Structure formats: C-alpha cells, structure tokens
Amino acid sequence: MLDPSNALRSAFLKHIQDPVAVFDTFPRLNVLESNQQFKDLLNRLLSNRSAENEPFLGLFSELEYQKFELEIAASVKHNEKASFKTNLNSNQPNEYWEVEMTPIFAEPAPMVICSFKKTDDRIQDLISELLERETKFRNFFDQAPLGMCVLKGTDLITEYANENMLNLWGKTRSEIINKPQQIVHAELAAREDILEKVRAIFDTGQQLTLNELQFSTSAGDAYLTAIYQPLKDEAGTVTNIFVIVNDITEQVNFRKELLKAKDILKLAMDASGMGSWNVDLNSKRCFLSERAQEIYTLDHNNLSISEAKSLVMERDMETVSQSIRKALHHQTSFNIEYEIKIEGTRHTKWLRSTGKAYYDPDGKPIYIAGAVLDITAVKQNELRKNDFISMVSHELRTPLTSLSAYIQLLQYKLKDANDAYAVDTLNKVGIQLKRMSLMIDGFLNVSLLEAGKIYLNMVQFNLMDLINVIAEENRIILPSHFIQVVGECDVMINADKEKIGNVLNNLIGNAAKYSKKESLIAIKCETNDDEVIVSIEDEGIGIKASDLDKLFDRFYRVDSADTKTISGFGVGLYICAELINQHGGKIWVESELKKGSTFYFSLPL
Ligand code: ADP
C-alpha cells in the first residue's frame, strides 16, 4: 500500500512519465493531485468539452465517463487494480488510452491512482480496417463478371487473377500465379506484337485497349476485349498493370451470323429479282433499293408517301391502304398484290409486296420495311389461263344444257314404256351429267371470281327450304351416303340463292368424296342474334391441323396417301370461301384426322 502522505505522493507523481492523477472517491469523484503530464492532457482535451467546475470531466465523453465511474467503483469495492480502454474525449477516433486504476486505502474513503497510457490499438485498428478493405476489394474482384488480373514488372508476372480470369484462360491458380504471361499462355508467346505493346505501358504510363483479340480454344475461336491499366507508385512509376478482360465471343459470333444472314438474304433477293423498300413514318418518305427502283421504273430512289400512292391503280388503292393499316395496328406482316402505273407511259405492272412495321420501345411505329417483286409475267399468264378456262367452260356448258334437256325428254317418254333397264341407265346418265355440270360451273366460277365478275343476285328466301332441296338432290346424286338434315330452323335470309346452293353442293360433295361409303353426312342449321350458321359434318378421313389454314386457298389440295386416289382440282373450297365472303359471312372448318370434319359457314341475318 502506498503512503498517502502529500509530500511523498507529489514526489512520486513527478517522476512518472505518463499522465497520472490521484482521485478522491468521497463525497464524489474528484482530482486530489496530478502530475504535469495529466494537466497537459486535460488542457488538450478540455477544448472539446467544457466542464469548468470539474475540469477532469473534460477527459471523457459522457458515455465513457459513466464507464470510468463504474470501473473505479468496482476497483474500490474489490480493492483491486483495474483498467479499461478508452479513446478519452479526443476527436481523433483512433487515439486510444489505457487507464489503470489502483485503489489506495484512505480515510474517510479510499483514493484511486489513475495512470493514463497511450496504446497502440489504433495501429491495430488501421490494420483491421485495411484488412477489411482488402477483403472487400478481393470479393469485388472475385465476383466481378469480368476477368481481372494484376501483372507485375516487364516480365508480366501474374500476381493475382480472379475466378473469371482463370475460367477464361482455362487454368488453375497454381498454374499461373507468379509466372510470366508468355510462359503460361502459349498463344500470347506467339504474339510478340501484343506483348511489346503491354510492356510499353511501363514506359508510357498510358492505358492500352485491345479490341476483339482472337484466340483459338478447344471449343473454337474465342474473342476478347482487354484493357490494360497502369498502376503507379507514389513517385508516379508504373509498377503493375491491372488487366480487365471481357469475353465477347458470343457478340462477335452473333455479329458474324448476322452478316452471313444478311449476305444470304442479299443473294436470295438478287437471285429472285426482289427489291427492298423502307417507309420512314416520321419524314413520311419511302426509300427504295436499286432493284426496287428498277421495278417501279423510277429515276429516283426516294419519294413521298403520296407520290408512292399515286403510282398504285385506283382499283387496288383500298386493298393496299387497308393491309398497311391492319399491319400497323395488329403488328402483323402483310402480303399484297397490286397493279401500278409506269410513270410517263400507258403501261402497268403487277407487283407483290410483303412488309411489316417496326416499333420503338414505347410501341410507336417508326418505319415499315419490306420486299417487292415484279409479278407481271405470272399475273399475265394467270389472266390468260383464266380467260382460257372461262372460254372453254362456257363452250362446254351449251352442249351440256342441251344434253340434260334431251335426257329429261327421254325420261318423260320412257315413263310408260315399262323398260326398267333403260330408265335406270338414263338416271345414271343424268347423274353423271349433273356432276359434269357442277365441275364446269366450278371452273367458270373461278375465272369469273378472278376477273371480279361474280355478281350476287340477292333475294329473300327460306334457307331451310333450300337446304332440304339440295339435300334431296344430293341423295339422288350420292346414293352411297346417308345425307341427313338435323334440326329445324325456319329462317328467311337475303342472299344469292343459286350461289348458296353452290356452296352447299360443294361442301356436301366433299363430305361424300372424303369419307367411306355408307357413312353419315349431317347438315345442320342454327341461328343466333345476328347470323345463321350452317354446318356439314362427315365421318371421313379428316384433315391435319397444319393443312387447315391453307384449305380455302386456290388450287390447294391436301397431299396424303388418303387423298392421292381422289380426283379434284382444289378449287371447290376456294369458290365457297369467296362466295361466302362476298355475302359478308364467314367460312371455317373443324377437323380431326381419321375421325371426320365439320365445315361451317355463317351468313348475316
Ligand atoms: P378438291 O376436293 O377438288 O381437291 P376442294 O377445294 O374442294 O378441292 O378441297 C381442297 C382440299 O381440302 C381437298 O383436296 C381435300 O384434301 C380437303 N377436303 C375438303 N373437304 C374435305 C372433307 N370433308 N374431309 C377431308 N378433306 C377435305
């Protein structure tokens, strides 16, 4: 125990290098005596906190002071030395002090000698802060989506490389760390030009970027972009190079594929004589490729929309505008045929154009682009063919009409002759004649349709009556099948009776043609609020889903083992669709292969 006498205490305190103070603990904590070092410390810290009456309070922040009080109380209570670390009331966060407390026996209450020692903890703190930063940096390095490494000296020794870099190089860490690049990478060793450029960074201190570096790997060619960033010391000398590498193989291959596709497209367009065009919806101008300009027979390749419109024949103007409007609103492509006038001549040309609109990210259309083909020759052939079919059909119809009149006459005459064989044969002749007339009517209809010469003769009639008459006629022509009219719908419609009769004949004829003998054909008629729907259902061979949308195209026939032996020209459904469309109705089909088909058409009421 120390002698608490004043003189000795003062002498002791003088000889101690660290700040020391003797505290009274009663009636409250107070500095009884202290050395000069303690006073200096107090003076320095006092500027941070004013405590005029009890200057030693300035040593601590409020929180730290509470700790100090508790530690002193504990040391006195247990009559034991105690110590605690504090950064005092310093405004330097890394300044740490160790306060050692030694209780001294005294009356009326113990005293405590407190010595203050600056510790090295702040260095520890700095180290842990540095370590923490390095860990964060390494994490960032390792997790970065790019390959990164650090090269040291002109030998380009790999000091560090992240996971991505190792993956790019296809090496393990031990294979590359502390080894020169050119030794680890055979590819690089062969590229002295690149190595030279990288080494030069140590002299120039300039960043180097190498774009699209090509390397061959086991998986094929790889492409990289590499950025070499000099790292300098305090004197500005380059000591290391920080390398960032991005694998751009996918982008480069994609670009190459795109260029290849563009080349192929150009070859295909050149080979087919197709031109391309582009309408900028902002400037409202059309731009034509060289071939498109040739097709339009223009001496310029850039024209306004109204100029382009003025080239289209009036008759086709509505089709063209409507298709483009539809494509714009429904984001679909269009495929149209139209006739144009050749500027400064009386000639015309037939063109086929396909195209589609392209939109900005907000969904606003910015341009329409497409291809155009001169189909004048094909169109003229088609017109000639149609004219021929129309003429031949017309010519064949006249003798056929006379033939059926003669047959009716004969049938009338034979009524009383009691000659069953003759009656039967004559009926068969009648049936074949009817078939032939239907076929010829079909051809005639096609050519008339093509020429836009089918006119509807609209009358009011009872649809059910027509269905019953047609069903009856077909029972005679097609005794091989059971033709049934299902249900009743007493509905008057306004339509061309003969043409609707043609549609029904066609659909019933097909139902029989594409199904087994003695199977059922059911004709049904239903109405809803604003339309009447007629359906013809069969138990036949059915139609593949992939054929359904082409069925109503001109000359389309399903090509399968089942249909090979069945004759036809592929015009029946085309005519039906055209006739129903002209009536403002719709035609469609539901079918399952080997189960049967149901053809529907609707007519507005
Ligand atoms: P065609 O019968 O003269 O070939 P269509 O235009 O009438 O021409 O019919 C087109 C194609 O649709 C036919 O070739 C046939 O393959 C298919 N088809 C039409 N009706 C049916 C049906 N009821 N069942 C199965 N296939 C049918």
Side-chain angles (χ1 to χ4, degrees):
M1 265 293 157
L2 253 161
D3 184 317
S5 77
N6 278 351
L8 191 58
R9 222 167 44 212
S10 303
F12 257 126
L13 290 183
K14 249 189 193 164
H15 291 284
I16 300 173
Q17 287 306 306
D18 291 324
V20 175
V22 180
F23 280 82
D24 251 349
T25 58
F26 188 80
R28 61 201 153 72
L29 220 47
N30 193 24
V31 177
L32 197 64
E33 189 145 8
S34 62
N35 66 359
Q36 191 52 44
Q37 285 84 337
F38 181 81
K39 287 183 185 103
D40 291 347
L41 177 66
L42 203 55
N43 273 339
R44 177 157 75 85
L45 298 182
L46 270 185
S47 53
N48 292 327
R49 189 177 173 216
S50 93
E52 277 164 30
N53 297 334
E54 302 187 33
F56 81 91
L57 285 183
L59 275 174
F60 302 100
S61 66
E62 259 168 67
L63 204 74
E64 296 277 271
Y65 180 70
Q66 283 171 14
K67 252 204 244 163
F68 176 63
E69 258 187 333
L70 285 174
E71 292 289 344
I72 284 199
S75 130
V76 168
K77 189 174 166 201
H78 300 114
N79 192 18
E80 243 174 37
K81 262 189 174 181
S83 72
F84 87 103
K85 269 187 201 138
T86 164
N87 76 340
L88 293 182
N89 194 22
S90 157
N91 54 3
Q92 290 169 9
N94 295 317
E95 182 176 327
Y96 276 96
W97 292 81
E98 179 149 13
V99 186
E100 206 175 86
M101 291 158 278
T102 314
I104 310 168
F105 221 27
E107 288 299 338
M111 287 186 271
V112 178
I113 300 179
C114 293
S115 72
F116 294 77
K117 214 180 224 138
K118 217 169 182 179
T119 72
D120 278 345
D121 275 12
R122 70 196 178 95
I123 294 172
Q124 207 50 47
D125 272 5
L126 280 176
I127 292 172
S128 44
E129 199 179 310
L130 273 175
L131 280 175
E132 194 183 328
R133 279 193 197 177
E134 172 154 341
T135 317
K136 273 189 192 154
F137 189 60
R138 268 181 195 272
N139 281 346
F140 159 74
F141 238 53
D142 286 338
Q143 284 159 19
L146 302 164
M148 290 177 175
C149 71
V150 177
L151 307 179
K152 197 171 88 183
T154 45
D155 282 343
L156 306 180
I157 288 173
T158 313
E159 240 188 9
Y160 174 77
N162 72 353
E163 257 337 290
N164 262 314
M165 198 66 170
L166 298 177
N167 290 341
L168 274 174
W169 285 335
K171 306 265 174 188
T172 63
R173 194 157 262 129
S174 60
E175 278 175 314
I176 57 150
I177 295 295
N178 291 331
K179 290 181 189 147
Q181 289 263 297
Q182 56 274 36
I183 290 188
V184 182
H185 306 294
E187 293 271 355
L188 255 181
R191 300 290 303 269
E192 191 51 40
D193 55 327
I194 295 180
L195 292 170
E196 268 312 302
K197 279 186 196 164
V198 179
R199 283 193 202 105
I201 298 174
F202 286 96
D203 296 329
T204 62
Q206 299 283 317
Q207 176 184 303
L208 167 72
T209 304
L210 299 174
N211 273 319
E212 252 180 64
L213 276 177
Q214 189 182 350
F215 286 98
S216 43
T217 68
S218 55
D221 280 347
Y223 297 89
L224 307 173
T225 290
I227 300 171
Y228 295 83
Q229 177 80 45
L231 299 178
K232 299 175 184 171
D233 62 12
E234 277 166 14
T237 314
V238 180
T239 52
N240 294 66
I241 299 175
F242 179 46
V243 190
I244 304 177
V245 175
N246 192 11
D247 182 358
I248 52 164
T249 312
E250 238 172 75
Q251 288 100 306
V252 172
N253 285 343
F254 180 70
R255 199 190 60 217
K256 285 188 169 173
E257 283 298 316
L258 201 67
L259 287 175
K260 205 160 97 188
K262 258 184 155 176
D263 252 11
I264 294 174
L265 182 68
K266 186 170 180 317
L267 283 175
M269 284 183 87
D270 286 352
S272 62
M274 223 183 254
S276 63
W277 52 264
N278 187 346
V279 182
D280 179 356
L281 296 171
N282 253 337
S283 63
K284 302 213 173 343
R285 293 202 73 79
C286 312
F287 301 91
L288 306 178
S289 72
E290 213 175 298
R291 175 67 191 137
Q293 188 186 334
E294 252 172 59
I295 292 176
Y296 276 94
T297 330
L298 291 172
D299 54 12
H300 50 293
N301 70 348
N302 175 337
L303 59 166
S304 68
I305 291 186
S306 50
E307 234 181 301
K309 272 182 166 175
S310 70
L311 298 174
V312 178
M313 296 285 267
E314 284 82 40
R315 184 197 60 224
D316 293 337
M317 201 52 243
E318 189 47 32
T319 323
V320 174
S321 310
Q322 214 178 16
S323 310
I324 294 178
R325 267 200 305 271
K326 208 168 130 199
L328 269 175
H329 291 138
H330 301 319
Q331 311 207 347
T332 52
S333 55
F334 59 84
N335 185 344
I336 41 175
E337 283 179 10
Y338 54 97
E339 203 176 356
I340 58 156
K341 299 167 232 172
I342 305 295
E343 259 186 349
T345 71
R346 292 177 60 207
H347 297 298
T348 64
K349 264 187 182 181
W350 274 95
L351 306 185
R352 174 186 286 280
S353 243
T354 53
K356 127 178 232 246
Y358 295 82
Y359 303 80
D360 67 9
D362 299 330
K364 189 175 156 236
I366 24 180
Y367 65 93
I368 308 175
V372 59
L373 189 65
D374 183 348
I375 54 162
T376 312
V378 180
K379 207 70 192 174
Q380 277 168 350
N381 269 342
E382 231 168 61
L383 289 177
R384 272 198 289 271
K385 191 176 73 192
N386 277 339
D387 282 351
F388 175 76
I389 294 174
S390 153
M391 195 184 71
V392 171
S393 314
H394 247 299
E395 295 302 311
L396 286 175
R397 239 181 159 209
T398 324
L400 273 182
T401 317
S402 322
L403 257 177
S404 56
Y406 286 129
I407 287 169
Q408 275 172 21
L409 206 66
L410 266 178
Q411 278 171 329
Y412 181 74
K413 288 235 163 189
L414 272 175
K415 231 169 43 185
D416 307 321
N418 215 3
D419 184 344
Y421 175 76
V423 170
D424 186 42
T425 312
L426 212 52
N427 281 345
K428 282 180 179 155
V429 172
I431 288 170
Q432 294 307 329
L433 202 66
K434 179 91 186 163
R435 275 201 183 144
M436 206 160 159
S437 308
L438 280 175
M439 243 193 271
I440 287 169
D441 278 352
F443 283 126
L444 202 57
N445 276 334
V446 174
S447 50
L448 290 176
L449 273 173
E450 293 294 297
K453 285 186 195 151
I454 283 231
Y455 303 106
L456 298 182
N457 176 21
M458 305 294 267
V459 289
Q460 281 279 336
F461 65 93
N462 187 307
L463 181 61
M464 207 59 216
D465 290 348
L466 178 70
I467 290 175
N468 282 324
V469 169
I470 300 275
E472 192 48 43
E473 276 177 18
N474 277 282
R475 280 186 199 114
I476 299 168
I477 311 171
L478 303 164
S480 52
H481 288 75
F482 297 111
I483 299 173
Q484 241 180 41
V485 178
V486 192
E488 265 294 324
C489 82
D490 191 19
V491 62
M492 294 294 289
I493 59 164
N494 187 33
D496 185 319
K497 196 172 174 180
E498 194 191 324
K499 307 270 177 345
I500 299 299
N502 281 347
V503 173
L504 283 165
N505 274 326
N506 247 311
L507 296 179
I508 298 169
N510 275 351
K513 207 158 116 180
Y514 297 103
S515 62
K516 282 208 184 79
K517 275 187 183 165
E518 300 193 344
S519 61
L520 186 73
I521 297 169
I523 309 166
K524 209 194 270 171
C525 169
E526 286 168 308
T527 52
N528 59 31
D529 287 349
D530 48 10
E531 58 181 6
V532 54
I533 299 173
V534 180
S535 65
I536 290 96
E537 185 181 352
D538 65 54
E539 302 171 330
I541 59 172
I543 303 153
K544 265 206 316 259
S546 55
D547 282 315
L548 290 179
D549 58 337
K550 289 171 271 179
L551 229 50
F552 299 96
D553 289 353
R554 193 174 44 151
F555 301 127
Y556 187 79
R557 302 207 69 218
V558 173
D559 185 16
S560 75
D562 287 331
T563 55
K564 246 189 195 101
T565 52
I566 306 170
S567 65
F569 297 100
V571 294
L573 289 180
Y574 165 71
I575 295 167
C576 291
E578 287 293 322
L579 294 178
I580 295 297
N581 283 341
Q582 284 200 14
H583 277 88
K586 277 186 271 175
I587 187 161
W588 68 100
V589 57
E590 285 168 7
S591 184
E592 202 179 329
L593 207 59
K594 306 218 183 304
K595 292 261 166 68
S597 315
T598 308
F599 282 81
Y600 299 85
F601 68 84
S602 68
L603 292 168
L605 284 178

PDB file of all heavy atoms in Angstrom, residues 22 29 36 71 111 116 225 269 328 333 377 391 421 536 551 558 563:
ATOM      1  N   VAL A  22      -4.453  11.437  -8.798  1.00  0.00           N
ATOM      2  CA  VAL A  22      -4.983  10.716  -7.638  1.00  0.00           C
ATOM      3  C   VAL A  22      -6.393  11.241  -7.417  1.00  0.00           C
ATOM      4  O   VAL A  22      -6.616  12.452  -7.364  1.00  0.00           O
ATOM      5  CB  VAL A  22      -4.108  10.960  -6.382  1.00  0.00           C
ATOM      6  CG1 VAL A  22      -4.675  10.209  -5.196  1.00  0.00           C
ATOM      7  CG2 VAL A  22      -2.682  10.552  -6.657  1.00  0.00           C
ATOM      8  N   LEU A  29     -16.337  11.867  -6.934  1.00  0.00           N
ATOM      9  CA  LEU A  29     -15.064  11.686  -7.626  1.00  0.00           C
ATOM     10  C   LEU A  29     -14.430  13.050  -7.902  1.00  0.00           C
ATOM     11  O   LEU A  29     -15.077  13.935  -8.464  1.00  0.00           O
ATOM     12  CB  LEU A  29     -15.349  10.968  -8.956  1.00  0.00           C
ATOM     13  CG  LEU A  29     -14.370   9.906  -9.405  1.00  0.00           C
ATOM     14  CD1 LEU A  29     -14.014   8.953  -8.286  1.00  0.00           C
ATOM     15  CD2 LEU A  29     -14.948   9.164 -10.590  1.00  0.00           C
ATOM     16  N   GLN A  36       2.202  16.915 -14.154  1.00  0.00           N
ATOM     17  CA  GLN A  36       2.116  17.902 -15.232  1.00  0.00           C
ATOM     18  C   GLN A  36       1.562  17.253 -16.503  1.00  0.00           C
ATOM     19  O   GLN A  36       0.754  17.838 -17.225  1.00  0.00           O
ATOM     20  CB  GLN A  36       3.511  18.488 -15.490  1.00  0.00           C
ATOM     21  CG  GLN A  36       3.525  19.716 -16.418  1.00  0.00           C
ATOM     22  CD  GLN A  36       2.568  20.807 -15.973  1.00  0.00           C
ATOM     23  OE1 GLN A  36       2.494  21.137 -14.755  1.00  0.00           O
ATOM     24  NE2 GLN A  36       1.775  21.345 -16.878  1.00  0.00           N
ATOM     25  N   GLU A  71     -15.895   1.573 -13.358  1.00  0.00           N
ATOM     26  CA  GLU A  71     -14.634   0.846 -13.179  1.00  0.00           C
ATOM     27  C   GLU A  71     -13.994   1.226 -11.842  1.00  0.00           C
ATOM     28  O   GLU A  71     -13.495   0.372 -11.114  1.00  0.00           O
ATOM     29  CB  GLU A  71     -13.662   1.177 -14.319  1.00  0.00           C
ATOM     30  CG  GLU A  71     -14.085   0.653 -15.673  1.00  0.00           C
ATOM     31  CD  GLU A  71     -13.963  -0.864 -15.782  1.00  0.00           C
ATOM     32  OE1 GLU A  71     -13.282  -1.471 -14.933  1.00  0.00           O
ATOM     33  OE2 GLU A  71     -14.585  -1.429 -16.698  1.00  0.00           O
ATOM     34  N   MET A 111      -8.853   6.266  -1.967  1.00  0.00           N
ATOM     35  CA  MET A 111      -8.480   7.092  -3.106  1.00  0.00           C
ATOM     36  C   MET A 111      -8.098   6.125  -4.241  1.00  0.00           C
ATOM     37  O   MET A 111      -7.847   4.953  -3.998  1.00  0.00           O
ATOM     38  CB  MET A 111      -7.275   7.949  -2.750  1.00  0.00           C
ATOM     39  CG  MET A 111      -7.621   9.084  -1.810  1.00  0.00           C
ATOM     40  SD  MET A 111      -6.202  10.133  -1.585  1.00  0.00           S
ATOM     41  CE  MET A 111      -5.398   9.383  -0.234  1.00  0.00           C
ATOM     42  N   PHE A 116      -2.596   7.099 -17.101  1.00  0.00           N
ATOM     43  CA  PHE A 116      -3.115   7.055 -18.483  1.00  0.00           C
ATOM     44  C   PHE A 116      -1.974   6.708 -19.422  1.00  0.00           C
ATOM     45  O   PHE A 116      -0.955   7.388 -19.437  1.00  0.00           O
ATOM     46  CB  PHE A 116      -3.702   8.422 -18.867  1.00  0.00           C
ATOM     47  CG  PHE A 116      -4.929   8.778 -18.067  1.00  0.00           C
ATOM     48  CD1 PHE A 116      -4.806   9.224 -16.741  1.00  0.00           C
ATOM     49  CD2 PHE A 116      -6.189   8.664 -18.613  1.00  0.00           C
ATOM     50  CE1 PHE A 116      -5.945   9.548 -16.009  1.00  0.00           C
ATOM     51  CE2 PHE A 116      -7.311   8.986 -17.875  1.00  0.00           C
ATOM     52  CZ  PHE A 116      -7.198   9.425 -16.570  1.00  0.00           C
ATOM     53  N   THR A 225     -11.929  -8.694 -75.389  1.00  0.00           N
ATOM     54  CA  THR A 225     -11.522  -7.288 -75.371  1.00  0.00           C
ATOM     55  C   THR A 225     -10.742  -7.114 -74.082  1.00  0.00           C
ATOM     56  O   THR A 225     -11.213  -7.527 -73.023  1.00  0.00           O
ATOM     57  CB  THR A 225     -12.762  -6.373 -75.380  1.00  0.00           C
ATOM     58  OG1 THR A 225     -13.348  -6.478 -76.656  1.00  0.00           O
ATOM     59  CG2 THR A 225     -12.390  -4.931 -75.129  1.00  0.00           C
ATOM     60  N   MET A 269     -32.298 -12.312-102.530  1.00  0.00           N
ATOM     61  CA  MET A 269     -33.084 -11.227-103.125  1.00  0.00           C
ATOM     62  C   MET A 269     -32.602 -10.946-104.540  1.00  0.00           C
ATOM     63  O   MET A 269     -33.412 -10.739-105.450  1.00  0.00           O
ATOM     64  CB  MET A 269     -33.016  -9.977-102.252  1.00  0.00           C
ATOM     65  CG  MET A 269     -33.896 -10.116-101.015  1.00  0.00           C
ATOM     66  SD  MET A 269     -33.938  -8.667-100.003  1.00  0.00           S
ATOM     67  CE  MET A 269     -35.238  -7.732-100.753  1.00  0.00           C
ATOM     68  N   LEU A 328     -50.095  -2.244 -89.298  1.00  0.00           N
ATOM     69  CA  LEU A 328     -49.640  -1.256 -88.304  1.00  0.00           C
ATOM     70  C   LEU A 328     -50.328  -1.473 -86.965  1.00  0.00           C
ATOM     71  O   LEU A 328     -49.705  -1.430 -85.914  1.00  0.00           O
ATOM     72  CB  LEU A 328     -49.975   0.159 -88.787  1.00  0.00           C
ATOM     73  CG  LEU A 328     -48.906   0.855 -89.612  1.00  0.00           C
ATOM     74  CD1 LEU A 328     -49.433   2.182 -90.115  1.00  0.00           C
ATOM     75  CD2 LEU A 328     -47.658   1.087 -88.792  1.00  0.00           C
ATOM     76  N   SER A 333     -47.547  -8.967 -90.415  1.00  0.00           N
ATOM     77  CA  SER A 333     -46.967  -8.630 -91.716  1.00  0.00           C
ATOM     78  C   SER A 333     -48.082  -8.669 -92.768  1.00  0.00           C
ATOM     79  O   SER A 333     -49.140  -9.228 -92.545  1.00  0.00           O
ATOM     80  CB  SER A 333     -45.876  -9.625 -92.060  1.00  0.00           C
ATOM     81  OG  SER A 333     -46.401 -10.914 -91.992  1.00  0.00           O
ATOM     82  N   ALA A 377     -45.385 -10.959-115.280  1.00  0.00           N
ATOM     83  CA  ALA A 377     -45.413 -12.104-116.192  1.00  0.00           C
ATOM     84  C   ALA A 377     -46.336 -13.192-115.660  1.00  0.00           C
ATOM     85  O   ALA A 377     -47.182 -13.725-116.386  1.00  0.00           O
ATOM     86  CB  ALA A 377     -44.005 -12.645-116.380  1.00  0.00           C
ATOM     87  N   MET A 391     -63.466 -19.425-121.213  1.00  0.00           N
ATOM     88  CA  MET A 391     -63.984 -19.638-122.564  1.00  0.00           C
ATOM     89  C   MET A 391     -64.394 -21.102-122.768  1.00  0.00           C
ATOM     90  O   MET A 391     -65.501 -21.388-123.216  1.00  0.00           O
ATOM     91  CB  MET A 391     -62.868 -19.268-123.545  1.00  0.00           C
ATOM     92  CG  MET A 391     -63.297 -19.092-124.963  1.00  0.00           C
ATOM     93  SD  MET A 391     -61.818 -18.795-125.926  1.00  0.00           S
ATOM     94  CE  MET A 391     -61.057 -20.391-125.907  1.00  0.00           C
ATOM     95  N   TYR A 421     -84.493 -51.206-117.419  1.00  0.00           N
ATOM     96  CA  TYR A 421     -83.056 -51.036-117.710  1.00  0.00           C
ATOM     97  C   TYR A 421     -82.787 -49.647-118.293  1.00  0.00           C
ATOM     98  O   TYR A 421     -81.900 -48.920-117.859  1.00  0.00           O
ATOM     99  CB  TYR A 421     -82.586 -52.132-118.673  1.00  0.00           C
ATOM    100  CG  TYR A 421     -81.150 -51.928-119.095  1.00  0.00           C
ATOM    101  CD1 TYR A 421     -80.102 -52.244-118.216  1.00  0.00           C
ATOM    102  CD2 TYR A 421     -80.841 -51.373-120.347  1.00  0.00           C
ATOM    103  CE1 TYR A 421     -78.790 -52.022-118.585  1.00  0.00           C
ATOM    104  CE2 TYR A 421     -79.520 -51.148-120.713  1.00  0.00           C
ATOM    105  CZ  TYR A 421     -78.504 -51.480-119.836  1.00  0.00           C
ATOM    106  OH  TYR A 421     -77.207 -51.253-120.192  1.00  0.00           O
ATOM    107  N   ILE A 536     -71.864 -28.777 -92.131  1.00  0.00           N
ATOM    108  CA  ILE A 536     -71.937 -30.057 -92.845  1.00  0.00           C
ATOM    109  C   ILE A 536     -70.879 -30.963 -92.222  1.00  0.00           C
ATOM    110  O   ILE A 536     -69.688 -30.672 -92.316  1.00  0.00           O
ATOM    111  CB  ILE A 536     -71.682 -29.874 -94.370  1.00  0.00           C
ATOM    112  CG1 ILE A 536     -72.866 -29.152 -95.010  1.00  0.00           C
ATOM    113  CG2 ILE A 536     -71.521 -31.221 -95.072  1.00  0.00           C
ATOM    114  CD1 ILE A 536     -72.718 -27.725 -95.161  1.00  0.00           C
ATOM    115  N   LEU A 551     -56.561 -24.624 -96.634  1.00  0.00           N
ATOM    116  CA  LEU A 551     -57.623 -25.353 -97.317  1.00  0.00           C
ATOM    117  C   LEU A 551     -58.443 -24.502 -98.289  1.00  0.00           C
ATOM    118  O   LEU A 551     -58.878 -24.974 -99.329  1.00  0.00           O
ATOM    119  CB  LEU A 551     -58.563 -25.916 -96.240  1.00  0.00           C
ATOM    120  CG  LEU A 551     -58.938 -27.358 -96.330  1.00  0.00           C
ATOM    121  CD1 LEU A 551     -57.731 -28.236 -96.492  1.00  0.00           C
ATOM    122  CD2 LEU A 551     -59.715 -27.761 -95.098  1.00  0.00           C
ATOM    123  N   VAL A 558     -54.892 -31.294-100.248  1.00  0.00           N
ATOM    124  CA  VAL A 558     -54.083 -31.955 -99.228  1.00  0.00           C
ATOM    125  C   VAL A 558     -53.340 -33.103 -99.900  1.00  0.00           C
ATOM    126  O   VAL A 558     -53.927 -33.853-100.673  1.00  0.00           O
ATOM    127  CB  VAL A 558     -54.981 -32.490 -98.087  1.00  0.00           C
ATOM    128  CG1 VAL A 558     -54.167 -33.315 -97.108  1.00  0.00           C
ATOM    129  CG2 VAL A 558     -55.667 -31.331 -97.395  1.00  0.00           C
ATOM    130  N   THR A 563     -55.605 -39.041 -99.887  1.00  0.00           N
ATOM    131  CA  THR A 563     -56.222 -38.177-100.909  1.00  0.00           C
ATOM    132  C   THR A 563     -55.664 -38.427-102.306  1.00  0.00           C
ATOM    133  O   THR A 563     -56.198 -37.906-103.280  1.00  0.00           O
ATOM    134  CB  THR A 563     -56.011 -36.688-100.549  1.00  0.00           C
ATOM    135  OG1 THR A 563     -54.610 -36.473-100.369  1.00  0.00           O
ATOM    136  CG2 THR A 563     -56.738 -36.290 -99.289  1.00  0.00           C
TER     137      THR A 563
END
